[in-house]
Amino acid sequence: MEKAYAPYSGFAVGAAILDEKGNIHSGANIENAAYPQGCCAEASAISVLIMAGGRQIRKIAVAGRGELLCTPCGGCRQKIREFGAADTQIVICDEAGPRQTFTLDALLPYSFGPDNLDNLSE
Ligand code: THU
């Protein structure tokens, strides 16, 4: 959250991914004057994961302030899906620490993923 670049919303978000090798990759939201070009913290952490050679999200922490839980946006749920599994844990945090944990399947049921593009018989 401290590294966030969020001058427009003022809403800082941090994310940290635990990968299949036990390594942790962190990210923060990076906003843009052209608003839709901004990047969520989860997407930023996924870029770091991939560039470090990781390929699987075992667990991801997302941290943001406020009374409501800082749950991943819809687009980020799908991005997590690409490198996650049904039982991937999504740990929602605030500046004080963890608040609630969900599985990816709970936040994105009946998801479309890489498996949907396999086993296509002609
Ligand atoms: N944001 C994230 O980084 N992750 C989320 O899952 C929800 C929203 C960011 C995007 C934007 O920079 C700010 O929070 C306000 O929407």
Side-chain angles (χ1 to χ4, degrees):
M1 286 171 69
E2 284 174 8
K3 299 271 177 65
Y5 174 74
Y8 305 108
S9 72
F11 191 76
V13 184
I17 292 169
L18 177 68
D19 75 11
E20 73 276 19
K21 299 172 198 161
N23 295 320
I24 293 173
H25 312 277
S26 58
N29 54 334
I30 306 167
E31 296 184 347
N32 194 285
Y35 292 177
Q37 300 306 323
C39 179
C40 283
E42 299 89 325
S44 152
I46 288 171
S47 296
V48 174
L49 163 76
I50 297 304
M51 288 309 296
R55 284 295 180 275
Q56 290 174 33
I57 301 176
R58 289 280 154 79
K59 196 188 275 201
I60 177 168
V62 181
R65 293 188 178 85
E67 193 181 328
L68 297 177
L69 292 175
C70 184
T71 43
C73 75
C76 283
R77 293 177 195 203
Q78 184 66 35
K79 289 185 174 84
I80 295 167
R81 168 68 182 89
E82 185 70 18
F83 304 105
D87 63 352
T88 289
Q89 291 180 68
I90 301 177
V91 184
I92 310 302
C93 310
D94 60 17
E95 63 268 55
R99 294 180 65 183
Q100 197 168 335
T101 300
F102 301 90
T103 62
L104 176 59
D105 195 50
L107 296 188
L108 194 67
Y110 301 101
S111 66
F112 186 94
D115 297 348
N116 290 83
L117 301 180
D118 290 343
N119 308 315
L120 291 179
S121 53
E122 282 289 330

